[in-house]
Amino acid sequence: MKFKPKSIKNSLTFTIGLFATLTILALGWVHHYAVRGAVMKQVYKTQLITDLKAHQSELLITLEKAIETSEALADDPALTEWFTSVKVNPKTKEIALKKLDYIHKELGYPTIFAVNNSTNEYWCENFKLLDIVTEEDPDDSWFFTTIRSQRKSTLNFDSNSILNQTMLFVNVLMGSPDAPIGVAGVGINPSVLIEQFKKNKPSENAHLWLVDNKGKILLSERTNEINKNLYALFDQDVVSGLLSGSREQIIREVNFRNEKYELASMLMGSTDYRVVMVIPQDDLLGIVNVIAINTIWLTILVFILTIVISTLLAKNISRPIEHLALLTKRIADSKLNSPVKNKLIERDDEIGHLAKEFDSMQKQLSLTISRLNKANADLENDKIQLKSINKELKTAMEKASESEKLTKAFMANISHEIRTPMNSIMGFAQLLENELQDDEILKNYSGIIIENGNQLLAILNSIIEVAKMDSGITKPHLVRFPVNKVISECMGFFSYSTRNNVNLVNACENKEETTITSDILLLKRILNNLISNAIKYTSEGTVEVKFRIENDTILFQVSDTGIGISTKDQASIFKPFWQVSNDSSINDGAGLGLAISKKMVEILGGEIWVESEPGVGSDFYFTLPHKKS
Ligand code: ADP
């Protein structure tokens, strides 16, 4: 696979770029359809409700706080006692006044008030008696309206004579609705509320109102609209639909001042009051357009930021990786002298860590390679030396083999050369013995010559045989023959020469006939050697011969109950000229019989060994290859 060093950076930039482009396209598409169709309408309606909720919640917080304060005032025990007592305890009155003064100052309402239902006395500010409310005075009518309608709380606009301004009063009924003892409340400076309206108004042309359940506008930034009724501004069915509806939110298209407006209305929490907003449809479209354009700008900004970030990422991550990849390639090309940039190694982050590890790996590698090179050079030297030693050894071996061959040839020749005169000596000794029939002494001498000559000839024959086998002249002559028969023949040969107290046992006599492929003469010679030794070293007891087949071999065993062989001697008896017993009455051999047997077994592809215990007897084993046919 071809290595692409820039793929991380490219894929990062490509993915982010693609994502940003798709976002722009998607936004463009949405914008396109939103401006023209139903999506647009849905968007601005959602926007409308969001705006309205913002106003409603701020207003609600302010009003609920005011209602809460008014309720605390209405439920105040000292004030209640004061308003219900025929003769007020001055202490109680003082406590009530202090508490109410505290509320006035701490909470910052421009005015607080309480009106006694039984005396119609009106207290305001620091609860000094100010006036007596009368039913005739239209300014005081809110008090009677509140008491009569027995509403728990009302909102009311009125002009405050002291502060000389219009206020939004929050009136709360004192006592139970069945037996009201008065009205208490706070005045809210409408400018505070109007400021909230102004702050959140979505467009200049929007109108935002707080209306009561009769459609009366209680609050508006346009003071001339305050106390006007919605019935005067919109079609009757629009307003009655708005007021009668128990729905929390209402959005509908209306005609307002001969233009198309969207009207949205929302109930103020659990109260009867509503926030109503009207906004020209064109302004709404403008708002949505602004949102769309802002979104596009935002997308462009994100796109630019993405490119900047991906470039920085590329600089910080993919370039160092590219650098390390390049170094890796150089290492692969066996160029180990390319150092990692210091700037990278000094970095205190994952890349720095990687660079450090890479650098130490490179150094380690270079060290290992130089060690390997040295070891290689040493090996090369050793190889040259070995080659020359090998050559010397070969020459030495050739020389040794040559000299061994020469020795063996010499032995064979000498033996042969000795055998020829020996034969004539033996012949003449025999003739001499025949001629010296009457002279006992000379006859005895010639007998000694014949006996020793025979021994010498036997030794010579053995030496010649060993030499022949060593020089590879003796080759096996393989034929197929029955083993049982061969053993019986050998045993038969010895049966006449065996002493009376040695029992010769042929364990294969009645055994099933077994045929093998081997050299019949060599096998006979081996068996004869072993049997003759067994008889020779057994003064009384048994000499037994047997065989058995074991997988691909045939195992022969010649056992006796003779003198046995010590463990130490067992290791040497197969060496030429090795004799254990020096008793010449037993041993007339030259210590070559077992050595010759071993060589013959090996020529036939087998092995020979002994197991023996001195005084108990010996077991001689040898194997020959055997293929079942
Ligand atoms: P030798 O002609 O002297 O018998 P061999 O090579 O046949 O030579 O035997 C070597 C030696 O091994 C013998 O001198 C003898 O001491 C010992 N040996 C061989 N066969 C037996 C046996 N069956 N029991 C005890 N000793 C044996």
Side-chain angles (χ1 to χ4, degrees), residues 249-270:
Q249 300 171 2
I250 294 165
I251 296 175
R252 59 170 300 171
E253 201 181 86
V254 289
N255 275 324
F256 182 57
R257 292 175 185 164
N258 298 327
E259 257 188 78
K260 285 232 177 291
Y261 274 66
E262 278 302 320
L263 179 144
S265 156
M266 194 178 263
L267 264 178
M268 292 275 295
S270 56

PDB file of all heavy atoms in Angstrom, residues 249-270:
ATOM      1  N   GLN A 249     -52.480  30.410  25.432  1.00  0.00           N
ATOM      2  CA  GLN A 249     -51.855  31.237  24.390  1.00  0.00           C
ATOM      3  C   GLN A 249     -52.813  31.385  23.226  1.00  0.00           C
ATOM      4  O   GLN A 249     -53.489  30.434  22.852  1.00  0.00           O
ATOM      5  CB  GLN A 249     -50.621  30.549  23.812  1.00  0.00           C
ATOM      6  CG  GLN A 249     -49.554  30.267  24.807  1.00  0.00           C
ATOM      7  CD  GLN A 249     -48.483  29.386  24.199  1.00  0.00           C
ATOM      8  OE1 GLN A 249     -48.544  29.026  23.036  1.00  0.00           O
ATOM      9  NE2 GLN A 249     -47.522  29.038  25.008  1.00  0.00           N
ATOM     10  N   ILE A 250     -52.829  32.551  22.630  1.00  0.00           N
ATOM     11  CA  ILE A 250     -53.639  32.760  21.418  1.00  0.00           C
ATOM     12  C   ILE A 250     -52.779  33.515  20.422  1.00  0.00           C
ATOM     13  O   ILE A 250     -52.102  34.491  20.786  1.00  0.00           O
ATOM     14  CB  ILE A 250     -54.913  33.581  21.727  1.00  0.00           C
ATOM     15  CG1 ILE A 250     -55.834  32.766  22.648  1.00  0.00           C
ATOM     16  CG2 ILE A 250     -55.661  33.963  20.447  1.00  0.00           C
ATOM     17  CD1 ILE A 250     -56.920  33.576  23.292  1.00  0.00           C
ATOM     18  N   ILE A 251     -52.781  33.049  19.173  1.00  0.00           N
ATOM     19  CA  ILE A 251     -52.073  33.792  18.123  1.00  0.00           C
ATOM     20  C   ILE A 251     -53.030  33.908  16.951  1.00  0.00           C
ATOM     21  O   ILE A 251     -53.619  32.912  16.533  1.00  0.00           O
ATOM     22  CB  ILE A 251     -50.807  33.048  17.654  1.00  0.00           C
ATOM     23  CG1 ILE A 251     -49.806  32.940  18.814  1.00  0.00           C
ATOM     24  CG2 ILE A 251     -50.158  33.776  16.490  1.00  0.00           C
ATOM     25  CD1 ILE A 251     -48.602  32.127  18.484  1.00  0.00           C
ATOM     26  N   ARG A 252     -53.189  35.082  16.466  1.00  0.00           N
ATOM     27  CA  ARG A 252     -54.047  35.223  15.277  1.00  0.00           C
ATOM     28  C   ARG A 252     -53.696  36.487  14.509  1.00  0.00           C
ATOM     29  O   ARG A 252     -53.057  37.402  15.032  1.00  0.00           O
ATOM     30  CB  ARG A 252     -55.527  35.177  15.650  1.00  0.00           C
ATOM     31  CG  ARG A 252     -55.990  36.246  16.633  1.00  0.00           C
ATOM     32  CD  ARG A 252     -57.483  36.244  16.708  1.00  0.00           C
ATOM     33  NE  ARG A 252     -58.047  36.530  15.392  1.00  0.00           N
ATOM     34  CZ  ARG A 252     -59.329  36.420  15.107  1.00  0.00           C
ATOM     35  NH1 ARG A 252     -60.192  36.005  16.020  1.00  0.00           N
ATOM     36  NH2 ARG A 252     -59.788  36.730  13.894  1.00  0.00           N
ATOM     37  N   GLU A 253     -54.164  36.465  13.280  1.00  0.00           N
ATOM     38  CA  GLU A 253     -53.892  37.630  12.428  1.00  0.00           C
ATOM     39  C   GLU A 253     -54.987  38.661  12.694  1.00  0.00           C
ATOM     40  O   GLU A 253     -56.150  38.303  12.806  1.00  0.00           O
ATOM     41  CB  GLU A 253     -53.954  37.143  10.980  1.00  0.00           C
ATOM     42  CG  GLU A 253     -53.236  38.023  10.008  1.00  0.00           C
ATOM     43  CD  GLU A 253     -53.374  37.469   8.603  1.00  0.00           C
ATOM     44  OE1 GLU A 253     -54.391  37.809   7.965  1.00  0.00           O
ATOM     45  OE2 GLU A 253     -52.498  36.701   8.189  1.00  0.00           O
ATOM     46  N   VAL A 254     -54.623  39.919  12.818  1.00  0.00           N
ATOM     47  CA  VAL A 254     -55.645  40.971  13.057  1.00  0.00           C
ATOM     48  C   VAL A 254     -55.351  42.173  12.166  1.00  0.00           C
ATOM     49  O   VAL A 254     -54.225  42.364  11.699  1.00  0.00           O
ATOM     50  CB  VAL A 254     -55.652  41.431  14.541  1.00  0.00           C
ATOM     51  CG1 VAL A 254     -56.206  40.372  15.438  1.00  0.00           C
ATOM     52  CG2 VAL A 254     -54.270  41.875  14.982  1.00  0.00           C
ATOM     53  N   ASN A 255     -56.416  42.929  11.980  1.00  0.00           N
ATOM     54  CA  ASN A 255     -56.233  44.231  11.324  1.00  0.00           C
ATOM     55  C   ASN A 255     -56.092  45.280  12.396  1.00  0.00           C
ATOM     56  O   ASN A 255     -56.934  45.387  13.281  1.00  0.00           O
ATOM     57  CB  ASN A 255     -57.465  44.566  10.468  1.00  0.00           C
ATOM     58  CG  ASN A 255     -57.336  43.926   9.108  1.00  0.00           C
ATOM     59  OD1 ASN A 255     -56.234  43.851   8.558  1.00  0.00           O
ATOM     60  ND2 ASN A 255     -58.456  43.442   8.584  1.00  0.00           N
ATOM     61  N   PHE A 256     -55.022  46.014  12.330  1.00  0.00           N
ATOM     62  CA  PHE A 256     -54.799  47.049  13.350  1.00  0.00           C
ATOM     63  C   PHE A 256     -54.286  48.286  12.615  1.00  0.00           C
ATOM     64  O   PHE A 256     -53.274  48.203  11.904  1.00  0.00           O
ATOM     65  CB  PHE A 256     -53.774  46.519  14.366  1.00  0.00           C
ATOM     66  CG  PHE A 256     -53.482  47.451  15.507  1.00  0.00           C
ATOM     67  CD1 PHE A 256     -54.518  47.921  16.336  1.00  0.00           C
ATOM     68  CD2 PHE A 256     -52.183  47.886  15.769  1.00  0.00           C
ATOM     69  CE1 PHE A 256     -54.244  48.767  17.398  1.00  0.00           C
ATOM     70  CE2 PHE A 256     -51.903  48.746  16.829  1.00  0.00           C
ATOM     71  CZ  PHE A 256     -52.947  49.184  17.638  1.00  0.00           C
ATOM     72  N   ARG A 257     -55.019  49.318  12.779  1.00  0.00           N
ATOM     73  CA  ARG A 257     -54.683  50.576  12.089  1.00  0.00           C
ATOM     74  C   ARG A 257     -54.444  50.337  10.596  1.00  0.00           C
ATOM     75  O   ARG A 257     -53.422  50.726  10.025  1.00  0.00           O
ATOM     76  CB  ARG A 257     -53.447  51.213  12.715  1.00  0.00           C
ATOM     77  CG  ARG A 257     -53.747  51.699  14.111  1.00  0.00           C
ATOM     78  CD  ARG A 257     -52.515  52.212  14.784  1.00  0.00           C
ATOM     79  NE  ARG A 257     -52.809  52.566  16.143  1.00  0.00           N
ATOM     80  CZ  ARG A 257     -51.916  52.759  17.073  1.00  0.00           C
ATOM     81  NH1 ARG A 257     -50.651  52.609  16.800  1.00  0.00           N
ATOM     82  NH2 ARG A 257     -52.276  53.100  18.279  1.00  0.00           N
ATOM     83  N   ASN A 258     -55.379  49.577  10.008  1.00  0.00           N
ATOM     84  CA  ASN A 258     -55.386  49.272   8.570  1.00  0.00           C
ATOM     85  C   ASN A 258     -54.138  48.538   8.076  1.00  0.00           C
ATOM     86  O   ASN A 258     -53.744  48.674   6.938  1.00  0.00           O
ATOM     87  CB  ASN A 258     -55.568  50.562   7.746  1.00  0.00           C
ATOM     88  CG  ASN A 258     -56.882  51.217   8.065  1.00  0.00           C
ATOM     89  OD1 ASN A 258     -57.856  50.504   8.360  1.00  0.00           O
ATOM     90  ND2 ASN A 258     -56.919  52.537   8.057  1.00  0.00           N
ATOM     91  N   GLU A 259     -53.546  47.828   8.965  1.00  0.00           N
ATOM     92  CA  GLU A 259     -52.379  47.022   8.542  1.00  0.00           C
ATOM     93  C   GLU A 259     -52.533  45.609   9.073  1.00  0.00           C
ATOM     94  O   GLU A 259     -53.277  45.372  10.030  1.00  0.00           O
ATOM     95  CB  GLU A 259     -51.095  47.619   9.147  1.00  0.00           C
ATOM     96  CG  GLU A 259     -50.299  48.415   8.154  1.00  0.00           C
ATOM     97  CD  GLU A 259     -48.966  48.815   8.748  1.00  0.00           C
ATOM     98  OE1 GLU A 259     -48.072  47.959   8.798  1.00  0.00           O
ATOM     99  OE2 GLU A 259     -48.842  49.990   9.171  1.00  0.00           O
ATOM    100  N   LYS A 260     -51.764  44.692   8.449  1.00  0.00           N
ATOM    101  CA  LYS A 260     -51.838  43.297   8.932  1.00  0.00           C
ATOM    102  C   LYS A 260     -50.847  43.135  10.077  1.00  0.00           C
ATOM    103  O   LYS A 260     -49.655  43.373   9.936  1.00  0.00           O
ATOM    104  CB  LYS A 260     -51.469  42.329   7.801  1.00  0.00           C
ATOM    105  CG  LYS A 260     -52.553  42.165   6.781  1.00  0.00           C
ATOM    106  CD  LYS A 260     -52.843  40.665   6.578  1.00  0.00           C
ATOM    107  CE  LYS A 260     -53.986  40.424   5.614  1.00  0.00           C
ATOM    108  NZ  LYS A 260     -55.261  40.831   6.162  1.00  0.00           N
ATOM    109  N   TYR A 261     -51.409  42.734  11.222  1.00  0.00           N
ATOM    110  CA  TYR A 261     -50.605  42.493  12.416  1.00  0.00           C
ATOM    111  C   TYR A 261     -50.799  41.053  12.859  1.00  0.00           C
ATOM    112  O   TYR A 261     -51.796  40.419  12.535  1.00  0.00           O
ATOM    113  CB  TYR A 261     -51.069  43.403  13.573  1.00  0.00           C
ATOM    114  CG  TYR A 261     -50.430  44.774  13.585  1.00  0.00           C
ATOM    115  CD1 TYR A 261     -50.680  45.693  12.550  1.00  0.00           C
ATOM    116  CD2 TYR A 261     -49.622  45.161  14.651  1.00  0.00           C
ATOM    117  CE1 TYR A 261     -50.091  46.950  12.586  1.00  0.00           C
ATOM    118  CE2 TYR A 261     -49.047  46.414  14.690  1.00  0.00           C
ATOM    119  CZ  TYR A 261     -49.283  47.315  13.644  1.00  0.00           C
ATOM    120  OH  TYR A 261     -48.707  48.543  13.698  1.00  0.00           O
ATOM    121  N   GLU A 262     -49.847  40.577  13.613  1.00  0.00           N
ATOM    122  CA  GLU A 262     -50.051  39.307  14.314  1.00  0.00           C
ATOM    123  C   GLU A 262     -50.330  39.666  15.757  1.00  0.00           C
ATOM    124  O   GLU A 262     -49.654  40.518  16.341  1.00  0.00           O
ATOM    125  CB  GLU A 262     -48.798  38.428  14.274  1.00  0.00           C
ATOM    126  CG  GLU A 262     -48.563  37.611  13.037  1.00  0.00           C
ATOM    127  CD  GLU A 262     -49.658  36.639  12.666  1.00  0.00           C
ATOM    128  OE1 GLU A 262     -50.232  35.986  13.562  1.00  0.00           O
ATOM    129  OE2 GLU A 262     -49.941  36.534  11.460  1.00  0.00           O
ATOM    130  N   LEU A 263     -51.354  39.020  16.338  1.00  0.00           N
ATOM    131  CA  LEU A 263     -51.667  39.271  17.743  1.00  0.00           C
ATOM    132  C   LEU A 263     -51.393  37.988  18.530  1.00  0.00           C
ATOM    133  O   LEU A 263     -51.796  36.904  18.128  1.00  0.00           O
ATOM    134  CB  LEU A 263     -53.142  39.665  17.873  1.00  0.00           C
ATOM    135  CG  LEU A 263     -53.652  39.942  19.288  1.00  0.00           C
ATOM    136  CD1 LEU A 263     -54.670  41.056  19.275  1.00  0.00           C
ATOM    137  CD2 LEU A 263     -54.237  38.711  19.945  1.00  0.00           C
ATOM    138  N   ALA A 264     -50.703  38.180  19.629  1.00  0.00           N
ATOM    139  CA  ALA A 264     -50.457  37.011  20.487  1.00  0.00           C
ATOM    140  C   ALA A 264     -50.824  37.378  21.900  1.00  0.00           C
ATOM    141  O   ALA A 264     -50.585  38.514  22.330  1.00  0.00           O
ATOM    142  CB  ALA A 264     -48.994  36.619  20.427  1.00  0.00           C
ATOM    143  N   SER A 265     -51.448  36.452  22.586  1.00  0.00           N
ATOM    144  CA  SER A 265     -51.878  36.763  23.943  1.00  0.00           C
ATOM    145  C   SER A 265     -51.588  35.576  24.848  1.00  0.00           C
ATOM    146  O   SER A 265     -51.632  34.422  24.424  1.00  0.00           O
ATOM    147  CB  SER A 265     -53.367  37.074  23.919  1.00  0.00           C
ATOM    148  OG  SER A 265     -53.910  36.850  25.183  1.00  0.00           O
ATOM    149  N   MET A 266     -51.339  35.902  26.083  1.00  0.00           N
ATOM    150  CA  MET A 266     -50.978  34.826  27.009  1.00  0.00           C
ATOM    151  C   MET A 266     -51.483  35.192  28.392  1.00  0.00           C
ATOM    152  O   MET A 266     -51.335  36.346  28.819  1.00  0.00           O
ATOM    153  CB  MET A 266     -49.454  34.708  27.024  1.00  0.00           C
ATOM    154  CG  MET A 266     -48.967  33.475  27.650  1.00  0.00           C
ATOM    155  SD  MET A 266     -47.198  33.487  27.537  1.00  0.00           S
ATOM    156  CE  MET A 266     -46.973  32.519  26.108  1.00  0.00           C
ATOM    157  N   LEU A 267     -52.066  34.213  29.101  1.00  0.00           N
ATOM    158  CA  LEU A 267     -52.561  34.484  30.461  1.00  0.00           C
ATOM    159  C   LEU A 267     -51.380  34.640  31.402  1.00  0.00           C
ATOM    160  O   LEU A 267     -50.368  33.977  31.239  1.00  0.00           O
ATOM    161  CB  LEU A 267     -53.398  33.291  30.928  1.00  0.00           C
ATOM    162  CG  LEU A 267     -54.915  33.398  30.737  1.00  0.00           C
ATOM    163  CD1 LEU A 267     -55.564  32.109  31.200  1.00  0.00           C
ATOM    164  CD2 LEU A 267     -55.509  34.563  31.499  1.00  0.00           C
ATOM    165  N   MET A 268     -51.571  35.560  32.397  1.00  0.00           N
ATOM    166  CA  MET A 268     -50.481  35.774  33.353  1.00  0.00           C
ATOM    167  C   MET A 268     -50.608  34.747  34.469  1.00  0.00           C
ATOM    168  O   MET A 268     -51.357  34.945  35.433  1.00  0.00           O
ATOM    169  CB  MET A 268     -50.610  37.161  33.974  1.00  0.00           C
ATOM    170  CG  MET A 268     -50.361  38.266  33.032  1.00  0.00           C
ATOM    171  SD  MET A 268     -48.621  38.584  32.943  1.00  0.00           S
ATOM    172  CE  MET A 268     -48.306  39.134  34.583  1.00  0.00           C
ATOM    173  N   GLY A 269     -49.959  33.670  34.324  1.00  0.00           N
ATOM    174  CA  GLY A 269     -49.982  32.635  35.365  1.00  0.00           C
ATOM    175  C   GLY A 269     -51.404  32.238  35.668  1.00  0.00           C
ATOM    176  O   GLY A 269     -52.197  31.947  34.771  1.00  0.00           O
ATOM    177  N   SER A 270     -51.766  32.290  36.965  1.00  0.00           N
ATOM    178  CA  SER A 270     -53.110  31.857  37.346  1.00  0.00           C
ATOM    179  C   SER A 270     -54.058  33.049  37.511  1.00  0.00           C
ATOM    180  O   SER A 270     -55.172  32.917  37.970  1.00  0.00           O
ATOM    181  CB  SER A 270     -53.016  31.058  38.640  1.00  0.00           C
ATOM    182  OG  SER A 270     -52.381  31.880  39.592  1.00  0.00           O
TER     183      SER A 270
END
